[in-house]
Structures are given as structure tokens and as C-alpha cells.
Amino acid sequence: MTIRVAVYGAGQLGNGIMGVLAERPEIDASGPFGRRERVRALGSAADVVIVATTSFLCEVAPDIRDAVACGSNVIVSAEEAAYPWAVAPEVAKSIDEQARVQGVTVMGCGLNPGFAFDALVVTATGPAATVRSIQVSRTVDISRFGVTVLGRLGIGYSPTKFDEGLQKGLIRGHIGFLQSMRVVAAALGCTLEDTRSDMTPVFAEQDHELEAMTVRVGESAGFEQHDVGFIGGRPWFDAQFVAHVACASVGKTPRDEITIEGEPQLHFEIEPGLNPQSGSAAMIANSVQRVVVAQPGWLTVADLPPARP
Ligand SMILES: NC(=O)c1ccc[n+]([C@@H]2O[C@H](COP(=O)([O-])OP(=O)(O)OC[C@H]3O[C@@H](n4cnc5c(N)ncnc54)[C@H](OP(=O)(O)O)[C@@H]3O)[C@@H](O)[C@H]2O)c1
């Protein structure tokens, strides 16, 4: 059976997803559709609508509602959609109810969130009889993101502008740790009591020419982010994230690492690290089949079997 897919969002990710889907004979994909073609995408009544536009639940919620109303399953790349109950439980509840009525599935997905700090972590706990705490660290090359994503991550700012951007909420670093931690906690039957996040910029000591922009000496070229989720007053999920537009210039190599503290202790390393662009496009393209056969409602990546080509 051919699966019809419509991709909304004509940026880097939307184009990447189309590139993967176009090679699949069992999939009839259209798009990526830009803002002006919103109705063609969301009103397509395709088996699966993929929304790859922004990071924020409040911005994608109307798009999800419209696609669900037309009977489509929906996959969303927005980081906040990976666990929508963390930022807007009432929105999550109403869309979950709408999806159940329509008999379709909604899921937030990508590489991160969607895999590196959640689905993969849940799988990694499998060989442990007990889990006391989890540490995940990721060093990632962010040089190939577009200017919107780079700006929101915190790249290309003077020290003063960086502080201003942080205070105004324009610079967010990586969005999604709260969601990933909640996905993992829910899968392991735990409840996070509190979370803490801090972020330190790394300023360029040389110019960096990127596809989307030039980062000048003295401007932010990367950052180190540390998020911790607490259970019982103790760190339960420790997430370390090092992002840079030129990892080698600061002596770093892209890599992913997961440590499960428990019985026994488990340690996993992935080198070179998971690619944020091709990895996200593949994760979403590889989720089309699993979303089509999933039970109705708003699900997380931990509710479904692993994504596969
Ligand atoms: N979960 C994950 O692992 C993962 C992975 C990759 C990306 N993402 C997220 O997915 C989003 C897309 O990523 P990207 O790399 O493709 O970004 P991008 O290159 O900046 O492209 C985003 C595209 O969506 C459009 N857009 C932005 N806001 C929109 C809105 N409210 N309604 C309709 N269209 C809108 C933009 O149009 P304009 O140019 O007109 O603004 C642009 O064409 C980003 O928020 C990114 O953080 C998540």
C-alpha cells in the first residue's frame, strides 16, 4: 500500500526529509510546502503530514489541529512537541482528544529530541536490572544549521548581545532537554520533580565561514549547556551538551555518550557523533510507517517501536 505524505516547512529539515522519502517507492511524498502553501500541506488529508517549521508548541498547535481535522497522522519536529505535556498540558490534552476522535496519531520526533537523549536512552536501560541515574553527553557540530536555528541556539552574538538575548528569551540554546527527560522518566515510570538548566557561551578566536552566516572573532561560536532533572532531591538525569560551529577549533570531536548508573553500570559511546541534519531527516522519514500503524492519540517516541528505514 502506498503511504501519502505531505511535508509542511520548506527549510533545511523539510527538504532533508523530502530527500529521504523521495527514494522510497512505497511512499508518495509531496512538498516541502512553504507558508503560502499551508492549506495544500495541512489540508491534504495525506496519511501523514510532517510539520517541520518551528520549535514551539504554541506555533505548531494550530497546524497540528488542522491536519488532524482532515484525518492525517502528524509528525512534528518542534522540540516542544516531543513531550507537549511539559509546556502546555491543556493544549496536549485537547489535541490528544481530537486525534483519538479522528483515529490518528500525533508524535513529536527528530534526532534530538526524538532519539539521542530519549528513545536511545530508554533502549540503553534495557540491560540494566535497576537504574539509579542517567548521564548523557553530546558534542555536536552545528555549523550546517540555517540562520534562524543558529540565532536561536545562540550563535553569532557579541558577549553583550548574548547576555541580552538570553535575558529576552531570544537565545534558548538547545530546546528539548525538558522534553527528553520527561519522555525517559515516563517510560521508566518515574516523575521528575525539578529541572535546572545553565548555558555558557564559547566565543570565537578566529572567523568561521558557515553556509548560513559568518561568525567573527569575539562572537559566540558555540556553547556548553548543562541540564539536570531531579528525583528525590538528587540528580536523576544529567544532560551535557557541547555545541560548536567548528568543534576541532576548540579541541572537540562530535560524539555521543550514555551512562546508565545502576545494576550493572552501562556505558555506550558513539563516535563520530550522530549527525543533526541527516539524522533528524532520517528519524522523521523512518517514523512514517510506525505512526501510520500506531494507536490514536498524542504519543511519544517511547510509546512506539524503534524507527527503521
Ligand atoms: N527534533 C529535532 O531533532 C529537530 C531536528 C531538526 C530541526 N528541528 C526543529 O525543526 C524546525 C525546522 O528546522 P529547520 O532546520 O528546517 O529550520 P529552517 O531551516 O529555519 O526552516 C524552517 C522553515 O519553516 C518555516 N517556518 C518557520 N516558522 C513557521 C511557521 N510558524 N509557519 C510556517 N512555516 C514556518 C520557515 O520559513 P521562513 O523562512 O519564511 O521563516 C522555513 O522555511 C526548527 O525549529 C528546528 O529547531 C528539530
Side-chain angles (χ1 to χ4, degrees), residues 99-134:
R100 286 170 196 264
V101 169
Q102 291 287 340
V104 298
T105 306
V106 177
M107 182 179 71
C109 182
L111 185 80
N112 184 23
F115 187 69
F117 279 83
D118 38 60
L120 185 58
V121 176
V122 173
T123 299
T125 63
T130 57
V131 174
R132 282 191 299 278
S133 63
I134 295 166

Side-chain angles (χ1 to χ4, degrees), residues 8 10-13 35 53-55 77 79 110-113 152 280:
Y8 183 49
Q12 192 181 80
L13 181 59
R35 290 175 191 268
T53 53
T54 83
S55 300
S77 74
E79 286 85 343
L111 185 80
N112 184 23
R152 203 200 55 237
S280 298

Side-chain angles (χ1 to χ4, degrees), residues 27 46 56 62 84 90 96 123 143 162 166 173 179 182 243 286-287 309:
I27 291 184
F56 305 107
E90 66 295 342
D96 176 57
T123 299
S143 64
F162 189 94
L166 260 189
Q179 288 71 22
R182 294 279 297 269
N286 291 342
S287 294

Side-chain angles (χ1 to χ4, degrees), residues 36-205:
R36 290 192 196 150
E37 299 166 301
R38 183 179 186 280
V39 176
R40 277 185 76 190
L42 305 178
S44 61
D47 299 305
V48 179
V49 166
I50 295 169
V51 177
T53 53
T54 83
S55 300
F56 305 107
L57 187 60
C58 62
E59 293 182 16
V60 294
D63 300 338
I64 300 169
R65 285 199 174 99
D66 286 358
V68 167
C70 292
S72 297
N73 299 285
V74 182
I75 302 174
V76 197
S77 74
E79 286 85 343
E80 289 186 350
Y83 196 91
W85 303 275
V87 288
E90 66 295 342
V91 173
K93 183 169 181 286
S94 78
I95 294 179
D96 176 57
E97 285 168 1
Q98 185 196 7
R100 286 170 196 264
V101 169
Q102 291 287 340
V104 298
T105 306
V106 177
M107 182 179 71
C109 182
L111 185 80
N112 184 23
F115 187 69
F117 279 83
D118 38 60
L120 185 58
V121 176
V122 173
T123 299
T125 63
T130 57
V131 174
R132 282 191 299 278
S133 63
I134 295 166
Q135 294 140 31
V136 186
S137 76
R138 172 160 168 78
T139 301
V140 59
D141 172 0
I142 53 171
S143 64
R144 295 192 53 236
F145 278 114
V147 72
T148 307
V149 173
L150 286 170
R152 203 200 55 237
L153 284 169
I155 301 306
Y157 299 92
S158 67
T160 311
K161 292 275 180 209
F162 189 94
D163 288 345
E164 271 175 31
L166 260 189
Q167 275 171 13
K168 290 180 179 163
L170 302 174
I171 294 175
R172 299 284 300 266
H174 170 70
I175 299 171
F177 286 124
L178 176 62
Q179 288 71 22
S180 289
M181 288 180 188
R182 294 279 297 269
V183 166
V184 176
L188 271 61
C190 307
T191 306
L192 281 189
E193 290 153 4
D194 196 12
T195 54
R196 191 186 66 202
S197 179
D198 60 60
M199 179 184 175
T200 310
V202 175
F203 294 101
E205 294 185 1

